[in-house]
Amino acid sequence: MKHNYLNNTSLNEAKEIYYSHLKAVGLAARSEVVAVREAGGRVLKDAAYARICSPHYNACAMDGIAVCAADTFAASEKIPLTLAPESYTVVDTGDPLPKGCDAVIMVEDLIETESGEVRIIAPVRPWQNVRQVGEDICMGDMLAPSGTVLSPSLCGALLAGGVTEIEVLAKPVFGIIPTGDEIVAPTADPKEGEIIEFNSTIFASYLESHGAAVKVYPITKDVKSDILAVVERALCECDGVLICAGSSAGRDDYTAEIIASLGTVLVHGIAIKPGKPAILGEAQSKPVIGLPGYPVSAIVIMEEIVREVIDLYNNKTPSAPPTVKAVLGKKVVSSLKYSEYIRVALGSIGGALSAVPLGRGAGVITSFTKADGILLLPQNCEGLEAGTTVDVRLLKPLCEIENTLIVTGSHDPLIDEVADALAKEGAPFRVCSTHVGSMGAIYAIQGGLAHLGGVHLLDSESGTYNTSYIERFFPEGGAVLLDGVGRVQGLMVQKGNPLGIKTFQDIAAHRYVNRQRGAGTRILCDYLLEKNGIAPEDVEGYANEEYTHTAVAALIAAGNADAGLGIYSAAKMYDLDFIPICTETYQFLVDERYRDAPQVQAFLKMLHSPAFAKRLEALGGYALEK
Amino acid sequence: MKHNYLNNTSLNEAKEIYYSHLKAVGLAARSEVVAVREAGGRVLKDAAYARICSPHYNACAMDGIAVCAADTFAASEKIPLTLAPESYTVVDTGDPLPKGCDAVIMVEDLIETESGEVRIIAPVRPWQNVRQVGEDICMGDMLAPSGTVLSPSLCGALLAGGVTEIEVLAKPVFGIIPTGDEIVAPTADPKEGEIIEFNSTIFASYLESHGAAVKVYPITKDVKSDILAVVERALCECDGVLICAGSSAGRDDYTAEIIASLGTVLVHGIAIKPGKPAILGEAQSKPVIGLPGYPVSAIVIMEEIVREVIDLYNNKTPSAPPTVKAVLGKKVVSSLKYSEYIRVALGSIGGALSAVPLGRGAGVITSFTKADGILLLPQNCEGLEAGTTVDVRLLKPLCEIENTLIVTGSHDPLIDEVADALAKEGAPFRVCSTHVGSMGAIYAIQGGLAHLGGVHLLDSESGTYNTSYIERFFPEGGAVLLDGVGRVQGLMVQKGNPLGIKTFQDIAAHRYVNRQRGAGTRILCDYLLEKNGIAPEDVEGYANEEYTHTAVAALIAAGNADAGLGIYSAAKMYDLDFIPICTETYQFLVDERYRDAPQVQAFLKMLHSPAFAKRLEALGGYALEK
């Protein structure tokens, strides 16, 4: 078993090495001539100059008569002037000014007599009501310098200036080569061991939205000669090549070797997490990049490296992405060995911007889907405490983030359903939900990190839900509970209940899958264990913590566990058997200051609407509270 | 002559009337099913749910051996454990976890013995090095609500969740119908009386960049039945129709009549300048809009009305465009009758943002090309004084505006040439130039409105340039003159000098075209008039003021005037005869605080570079100062 260890080049050093090499080998955009009509959004290769004036002739600016201004100087209200027919010409707006004329009298200012003569009571100045040659654009004027992106109005100005075709930078074409024995083209029904190849779709969409064109090659097996052949072909057909996966140093990782055989490997291994096993290479003066197989790692390399390579092609100074200051909502730990690329959800609560880190694994593609921004921890940073003010790169427009209702706490699919129902209605805000458990909801409301927090916290002494917790954590008040739903909690077990599980007590004999500490369902589990006299260490799988009802259901359905506590709707979704245990009160905790906020009220109104009752019925296991 | 007078509905009222009508008639997007692979940037019609888990099977996360974790619990460094071949399976990353196994031991942690047995010195936990089912995405989870724009990572998440096709909103198709007897398709060589039709290109580019599709119809003459036929066809083929021009109330303005005959005219005439003669109509539940013929007026209606109609189709809440606070650099007067849509150049000088109004005519398309933002004066505002803090809507990214060297003052094509040469070199900033004359440069530097100001101010007493002005206007210092160029000023006259003009004195006998007050060339003109004992009122055309050398040259070339003062390069550009009068010192005035700014230094370095000397030579009439 071969081991080619990677280097750990710092991100900035890797960029410096790579971009200066690409510049040195003469990386440059091709150009092409296109019709200005279709040039919107393209980048000017050279400065564009007006070839004609606009207007290119003296144009009448009004409907009326064209005259020689000097002939009208005697006119006044007291002594109107009659113009002989041979001294004027009837004109329309846009007509060329007739020879010998230098002004136009508006039709509204003419007194037509019965004899067909025209009378005026005021003179006109020379060039009055005339659009003189070059009034808007003068021939020879530079309309835009090299490198300008053609806006709609610039396209118009070019045409007005007689420029009908223009040389623009050609979009660089990137070839994407997915490789791997186990990957298959996207399918709704993959077999065991088949991994759906979706990275090339992510990269293609990313490249296209950043001004590049894309050619995706068929999936190539992990056979060195096969991959080499496709890379050689892509080098002929494209301006740059992205090889997906095989960039690490394992047995079947040929990418570095292949790039080295065709050109130069400049960097192999970047001190960034995720993203480390990347290869920055060059062949035939073209960038050839080996991307990590994990999608999140690959997206980081796209964002950090490939984006700037596209800018190099477009002769554009890489612009710093827009950043905002935000207060870190949760502690972040880091290693000194890597920069960390942390996806965060941004929330705007009472005018303050908070950043909450999302999942950090290299495989968790949804951490990018849900991310509003990126917190880049430098390599020499050990981590940051909650409450630190940090710079966050925006992935979404700030106005969208500021216009978001943040719901956190206990996981329940109904939150997403409300969000969707509001979106369908055209609500003027979005809903962002994260799952941090019921106790997490309390801390989030305390810390000003969310507007609403979903809670279902059982007080084992009184048997009531939520209220005693609020009294304990908000002794001075300031937070209130809003009507939510009743929902059925129970044990999810495999379909047909093959192990014959009947009551909660039975879990001691089987493999359990648990929820994370702080989750309302975990508190229920611990209460039930105590009530039944079962020690946690006697429950196999007690330490296996999941964050959502669906994650628990998925593991039971897959046979990784035999039982787990969860809500009826999750069991139904996975076609599991369900042993009801209790009906609990799921409510929303809100900071008193935001109780009457229109977004909070709209959320509650939707939740309790007759239309939404139908959605709850379809999910199953809910009862609406008044 | 017919006069259908327009109404003067306020902008907000017009929007309210129009959008509520469109909603009432059920304006809604069509939808279509597309492959997720090609869905980047599209808008989800409904919420998207994962159809499978990701991973959809328990996947080995490492190369190594799969085991039952319980079999390894006895292993320790002191007492290594030997695993019998039948108790493990060799696996690669991504392989399905074999039946009966619940963990993977990494290849790096294995001690292979000669007998082929495998020894370990540490146990593994259940599910260690295994990517369990649903680790990233759980079947049934909502991946995104209705109305979400598909980002690259969301496309990836959908494919990972087994969703290969998705229903997205269809882009609304807008039909664009250019009308008019005088307009012709874009050409490099239009005849007199032919107006180049570039509005449809502006609209098409605008619509496409805002998420709509476009169908441009051929130019239709001003014949009512012809236009009606095309509108009817467009109503069949498109989701909305834009009729270009004919929207006013003149003789040949049929648009309102045509819309009324097919449906309803809701608004005719909006109290906004430019943009007033717009028609907002509806037919067959589709928007039919009559756009003004002047491009700037039409762009205002695109920006204010059509953009939100596209948002209506996309079920998107129209988002307020991003705005910034800026200090008005020049007084603005307005009428109480209209809202005013003022295009401004934004400049960031020493951290403060200033807004300088650009040309305000409805025909001046370059005022949009050069605009960084929009200042919308409300209808009840009489105007604003210089120095007022105003809200400006951004048309360009703020970081681009903040990264701009602002050069103002006397017009000289060399400024644009330097800007282009810097852009070609990949300079990390842009150059923005405006023409306000040499005195304007002094006021701009005094007011903190520009970094550099081009000046060529003759002191008639001493015969020197610039220095005495700086002493007078900056008595306390604070501004310095930087080396510029020498350039030849003279009289531009028609080619071949048919009128036999020899000296400046001759202008009294001919038609002159002047520069605006405050321009260095105007000061030179006034000096020469006085020196030659000519009274301004004896010069025909003295009151005709133009802002640039090329505008003066264009008017002489067109025969609108016989002579004008200007620089040699402008005469050369227009192939005019040139009578040299003097060589003047054109310098750059700079606020001392920015003298050493890298952008200022880069500008000067380029101006004095050997490569740039060639550009100056091509322009003609320049001599580089040391």
Side-chain angles (χ1 to χ4, degrees):
Chain A
M1 298 187 190
K2 186 195 65 174
H3 292 291
N4 299 318
Y5 290 103
L6 309 182
N7 294 318
N8 197 38
T9 312
S10 81
L11 179 61
N12 285 337
E13 199 187 335
K15 286 184 179 193
E16 172 58 32
I17 292 169
Y18 195 44
Y19 302 144
S20 57
H21 179 87
L22 290 180
K23 281 180 201 160
V25 297
L27 186 80
R30 290 169 293 107
S31 66
E32 58 188 355
V33 174
V34 295
V36 169
R37 282 186 158 194
E38 281 145 24
R42 304 297 297 271
V43 179
L44 278 185
K45 178 171 180 282
D46 301 309
Y49 298 88
R51 295 177 51 183
I52 58 174
C53 290
S54 175
H56 60 282
Y57 63 94
N58 294 310
C60 300
M62 293 286 170
D63 293 355
I65 58 171
V67 296
C68 174
D71 295 347
T72 71
F73 289 167
S76 71
E77 225 163 317
K78 276 196 182 148
I79 313 169
L81 189 72
T82 302
L83 296 173
E86 60 275 16
S87 68
Y88 66 85
T89 313
V90 176
V91 290
D92 277 347
T93 304
D95 281 351
L97 189 69
K99 265 225 142 31
C101 298
D102 64 1
V104 170
I105 305 173
M106 289 166 69
V107 66
E108 288 86 345
D109 294 339
L110 298 177
I111 305 158
E112 286 170 276
T113 65
E114 276 175 22
S115 58
E117 282 172 333
V118 160
R119 208 172 289 163
I120 56 171
I121 54 167
V124 279
R125 282 177 289 105
W127 308 112
Q128 199 171 343
N129 298 327
V130 174
R131 294 192 67 215
Q132 288 192 81
V133 168
E135 185 180 299
D136 197 354
I137 293 172
C138 288
M139 185 261 282
D141 281 355
M142 190 185 289
L143 294 172
S146 312
T148 304
V149 178
L150 284 153
S151 65
S153 58
L154 182 53
C155 291
L158 288 171
L159 293 176
V163 180
T164 54
E165 290 191 324
I166 193 86
E167 196 166 358
V168 295
L169 300 185
K171 291 186 182 187
V173 180
F174 282 85
I176 299 175
I177 306 173
T179 72
D181 290 336
E182 68 287 5
I183 61 174
V184 295
T187 163
D189 188 24
K191 295 185 187 51
E192 271 214 349
E194 289 182 349
I195 294 175
I196 294 172
E197 198 291 295
F198 57 83
N199 280 3
S200 62
T201 297
I202 297 179
F203 305 155
S205 171
Y206 186 94
L207 288 163
E208 280 166 0
S209 67
H210 283 79
V214 170
K215 194 172 159 71
V216 180
Y217 291 85
I219 295 168
T220 306
K221 295 273 175 211
D222 279 331
V223 176
K224 204 166 101 181
S225 57
D226 290 2
I227 302 174
L228 178 66
V230 184
V231 175
E232 282 179 322
R233 198 181 127 203
L235 269 171
C236 290
E237 297 172 343
C238 307
D239 300 302
V241 182
L242 305 180
I243 306 166
C244 306
S247 69
S248 193
R251 222 170 0 166
D252 294 335
D253 293 331
Y254 304 121
T255 306
E257 232 178 303
I258 288 169
I259 298 176
S261 76
L262 295 168
T264 314
V265 169
L266 293 139
V267 176
H268 189 186
I270 301 178
I272 186 163
K273 210 173 129 186
K276 181 171 164 52
I279 305 168
L280 309 182
E282 171 270 319
Q284 298 176 23
S285 301
K286 294 172 181 180
V288 185
I289 295 175
L291 291 166
Y294 280 119
V296 171
S297 309
I299 294 174
V300 170
I301 300 303
M302 294 297 287
E303 194 68 40
E304 286 297 316
I305 305 288
V306 179
R307 189 168 53 89
E308 293 194 28
V309 173
I310 302 172
D311 286 344
L312 274 185
Y313 268 118
N314 287 334
N315 196 22
K316 205 173 114 184
T317 310
S319 58
T323 60
V324 289
K325 299 266 179 214
V327 175
L328 198 57
K330 216 159 88 178
K331 184 179 175 168
V332 168
V333 286
S334 174
S335 87
L336 292 173
K337 209 174 160 195
Y338 306 104
S339 301
E340 290 240 18
Y341 205 85
I342 298 168
R343 284 82 72 198
V344 300
L346 288 170
S348 173
I349 310 276
L353 215 54
S354 64
V356 177
L358 298 164
R360 287 166 76 182
V364 187
I365 178 70
T366 48
S367 70
F368 252 111
T369 308
K370 289 185 190 291
D372 299 313
I374 297 296
L375 165 59
L376 189 61
L377 282 193
Q379 204 175 332
N380 55 4
C381 170
E382 281 184 54
L384 295 169
E385 293 298 323
T388 313
T389 297
V390 291
D391 285 312
V392 176
R393 284 194 211 166
L394 286 176
L395 295 176
K396 290 176 184 159
L398 187 59
C399 60
E400 187 182 319
I401 290 161
E402 287 174 338
N403 215 359
T404 297
L405 178 74
I406 300 169
V407 185
T408 194
S410 169
H411 173 244
D412 195 297
L414 77 81
I415 300 169
D416 286 344
E417 294 295 326
V418 174
D420 179 54
L422 286 166
K424 269 216 173 302
E425 238 193 22
F429 62 94
R430 56 167 204 160
V431 176
C432 169
S433 71
T434 49
H435 319 310
V436 297
S438 290
M439 284 307 299
I442 288 182
Y443 301 135
I445 297 296
Q446 280 182 332
L449 297 174
H451 295 103
L452 289 176
V455 287
H456 60 113
L457 288 160
L458 175 64
D459 179 348
S460 49
E461 286 176 22
S462 66
T464 61
Y465 279 88
N466 302 330
T467 37
S468 66
Y469 285 81
I470 305 312
E471 281 159 15
R472 186 166 4 134
F473 286 95
F474 297 91
E476 321 268 292
V480 282
L481 286 164
L482 303 171
D483 286 344
V485 297
R487 61 179 198 181
V488 182
Q489 276 271 14
L491 271 181
M492 301 190 270
V493 298
Q494 266 138 53
K495 188 179 166 88
N497 196 1
L499 300 171
I501 295 168
K502 290 205 182 95
T503 66
F504 186 78
Q505 228 165 342
D506 298 341
I507 70 160
H510 302 288
R511 295 174 307 153
Y512 188 70
V513 53
N514 209 351
R515 289 291 306 281
Q516 86 278 17
R517 268 155 289 184
T521 304
R522 169 67 166 265
I523 291 169
L524 176 65
C525 166
D526 291 345
Y527 164 73
L528 292 172
L529 285 175
E530 206 190 330
K531 190 174 147 191
N532 287 283
I534 307 169
E537 53 272 25
D538 292 340
V539 179
E540 186 184 338
Y542 180 84
N544 292 346
E545 298 186 346
E546 294 294 333
Y547 279 76
T548 64
H549 297 284
T550 41
V552 169
L555 292 178
I556 295 166
N560 293 21
D562 301 320
L565 273 180
I567 53 176
Y568 175 75
S569 59
K572 186 180 169 211
M573 222 177 262
Y574 282 78
D575 198 16
L576 298 174
D577 275 22
F578 186 76
I579 301 150
I581 288 180
C582 60
T583 294
E584 59 180 15
T585 308
Y586 185 95
Q587 291 175 300
F588 288 100
L589 182 64
V590 66
D591 186 315
E592 250 176 14
R593 287 172 296 175
Y594 310 125
R595 182 193 191 146
D596 296 323
Q599 303 181 342
V600 169
Q601 289 303 314
F603 184 94
L604 290 176
K605 192 177 162 202
M606 179 58 76
L607 177 64
H608 296 285
S609 68
F612 194 73
K614 283 193 191 129
R615 284 203 187 212
L616 284 179
E617 206 181 312
L619 286 172
Y622 292 96
L624 271 175
E625 287 183 354
K626 237 304 309 127
Chain B
M1 298 187 190
K2 186 194 62 175
H3 292 291
N4 300 320
Y5 290 103
L6 309 183
N7 294 318
N8 196 37
T9 312
S10 81
L11 180 61
N12 286 337
E13 199 187 335
K15 287 185 178 191
E16 172 58 32
I17 291 170
Y18 195 44
Y19 302 145
S20 58
H21 178 88
L22 290 179
K23 281 180 202 161
V25 297
L27 186 80
R30 289 169 294 107
S31 66
E32 57 188 355
V33 174
V34 296
V36 169
R37 283 186 156 194
E38 281 147 23
R42 303 298 295 272
V43 179
L44 278 185
K45 177 170 181 284
D46 301 308
Y49 299 87
R51 296 179 51 182
I52 57 175
C53 289
S54 175
H56 60 283
Y57 61 95
N58 294 308
C60 300
M62 292 286 170
D63 292 356
I65 58 170
V67 295
C68 174
D71 295 348
T72 72
F73 289 166
S76 72
E77 226 164 316
K78 277 199 183 147
I79 313 170
L81 189 72
T82 302
L83 295 173
E86 58 276 17
S87 68
Y88 66 84
T89 312
V90 176
V91 291
D92 278 347
T93 304
D95 282 351
L97 189 69
K99 266 226 143 30
C101 298
D102 63 2
V104 169
I105 306 174
M106 288 168 68
V107 67
E108 288 86 344
D109 294 340
L110 298 177
I111 305 157
E112 285 171 277
T113 65
E114 276 175 20
S115 59
E117 282 172 334
V118 160
R119 209 171 287 163
I120 56 171
I121 55 167
V124 280
R125 282 176 289 107
W127 307 112
Q128 197 171 346
N129 298 326
V130 174
R131 294 191 67 215
Q132 289 191 82
V133 168
E135 186 181 297
D136 197 354
I137 293 172
C138 289
M139 184 261 283
D141 281 355
M142 190 186 290
L143 294 172
S146 312
T148 304
V149 177
L150 283 153
S151 66
S153 58
L154 181 54
C155 291
L158 287 170
L159 293 176
V163 181
T164 55
E165 290 190 324
I166 193 85
E167 196 167 356
V168 295
L169 300 185
K171 291 187 181 185
V173 180
F174 282 85
I176 299 175
I177 306 173
T179 73
D181 289 336
E182 67 287 4
I183 60 173
V184 295
T187 164
D189 189 24
K191 295 186 187 56
E192 270 215 349
E194 289 182 348
I195 294 176
I196 294 172
E197 198 290 296
F198 57 83
N199 279 5
S200 62
T201 297
I202 297 179
F203 305 155
S205 171
Y206 185 93
L207 288 163
E208 280 166 0
S209 66
H210 284 77
V214 170
K215 193 172 159 70
V216 180
Y217 290 86
I219 295 169
T220 305
K221 295 273 175 211
D222 279 332
V223 177
K224 204 166 99 182
S225 57
D226 290 2
I227 302 175
L228 177 66
V230 184
V231 175
E232 282 180 323
R233 201 182 124 203
L235 269 172
C236 289
E237 297 172 344
C238 307
D239 299 303
V241 182
L242 305 180
I243 306 166
C244 308
S247 68
S248 195
R251 221 171 357 170
D252 294 334
D253 293 330
Y254 303 120
T255 306
E257 231 178 304
I258 288 169
I259 299 177
S261 75
L262 296 168
T264 314
V265 169
L266 294 139
V267 176
H268 190 186
I270 302 178
I272 186 163
K273 208 173 135 188
K276 181 169 165 47
I279 305 168
L280 310 181
E282 172 270 320
Q284 298 174 24
S285 300
K286 295 173 180 180
V288 185
I289 295 175
L291 290 166
Y294 279 121
V296 171
S297 308
I299 294 174
V300 170
I301 300 304
M302 293 297 288
E303 194 68 40
E304 285 298 316
I305 304 289
V306 179
R307 189 168 53 88
E308 294 193 29
V309 173
I310 302 171
D311 287 345
L312 275 185
Y313 267 117
N314 287 335
N315 197 21
K316 204 173 114 185
T317 310
S319 58
T323 60
V324 289
K325 298 265 179 214
V327 174
L328 199 57
K330 219 159 88 178
K331 183 179 174 168
V332 168
V333 285
S334 174
S335 87
L336 292 173
K337 209 174 162 195
Y338 305 103
S339 303
E340 289 241 17
Y341 205 84
I342 298 169
R343 286 81 71 198
V344 299
L346 288 170
S348 173
I349 311 275
L353 215 54
S354 64
V356 177
L358 298 164
R360 288 166 73 181
V364 188
I365 178 70
T366 49
S367 71
F368 252 110
T369 307
K370 289 185 191 291
D372 299 314
I374 297 296
L375 165 60
L376 189 61
L377 282 193
Q379 203 176 333
N380 55 4
C381 171
E382 281 184 53
L384 295 170
E385 292 299 322
T388 314
T389 298
V390 291
D391 285 312
V392 175
R393 286 194 209 165
L394 286 176
L395 295 176
K396 290 177 184 159
L398 188 59
C399 60
E400 186 181 320
I401 290 161
E402 287 173 339
N403 215 358
T404 298
L405 178 74
I406 300 168
V407 186
T408 193
S410 169
H411 172 246
D412 195 297
L414 79 80
I415 299 170
D416 286 343
E417 293 294 325
V418 174
D420 179 55
L422 286 167
K424 269 217 172 302
E425 246 197 6
F429 62 94
R430 56 167 204 159
V431 177
C432 168
S433 71
T434 48
H435 318 312
V436 298
S438 291
M439 284 309 298
I442 288 182
Y443 301 136
I445 298 294
Q446 279 182 333
L449 297 174
H451 295 104
L452 288 176
V455 286
H456 60 114
L457 288 160
L458 174 65
D459 179 348
S460 50
E461 284 174 23
S462 66
T464 61
Y465 279 87
N466 302 331
T467 36
S468 66
Y469 285 81
I470 307 312
E471 281 159 16
R472 192 176 350 144
F473 287 95
F474 297 91
E476 322 268 293
V480 282
L481 287 164
L482 303 171
D483 286 343
V485 297
R487 61 178 200 182
V488 182
Q489 277 270 14
L491 271 181
M492 301 190 269
V493 298
Q494 266 138 54
K495 188 178 165 87
N497 196 359
L499 300 170
I501 294 168
K502 291 205 182 91
T503 67
F504 186 80
Q505 227 164 342
D506 297 341
I507 69 160
H510 302 289
R511 295 173 307 152
Y512 186 70
V513 52
N514 209 351
R515 289 291 305 282
Q516 86 277 18
R517 269 154 290 183
T521 303
R522 170 68 167 265
I523 291 170
L524 176 65
C525 166
D526 291 344
Y527 165 73
L528 292 171
L529 285 175
E530 204 188 333
K531 191 174 144 189
N532 288 283
I534 307 170
E537 53 271 25
D538 292 339
V539 179
E540 185 184 340
Y542 180 84
N544 292 344
E545 298 187 346
E546 294 294 332
Y547 279 76
T548 65
H549 296 283
T550 41
V552 169
L555 291 178
I556 296 166
N560 292 20
D562 302 319
L565 273 181
I567 54 176
Y568 175 75
S569 59
K572 188 180 167 208
M573 221 176 264
Y574 281 78
D575 198 17
L576 298 174
D577 275 21
F578 185 77
I579 301 150
I581 288 181
C582 61
T583 294
E584 59 179 16
T585 309
Y586 185 95
Q587 290 176 300
F588 288 99
L589 183 64
V590 66
D591 186 315
E592 248 176 15
R593 288 171 297 177
Y594 310 124
R595 180 191 193 147
D596 296 323
Q599 302 182 344
V600 169
Q601 288 304 312
F603 185 94
L604 291 176
K605 193 179 161 202
M606 178 57 77
L607 177 64
H608 295 286
S609 69
F612 195 74
K614 281 191 193 131
R615 284 204 188 212
L616 283 180
E617 206 181 313
L619 286 173
Y622 292 95
L624 272 175
E625 285 182 356
K626 234 309 309 132

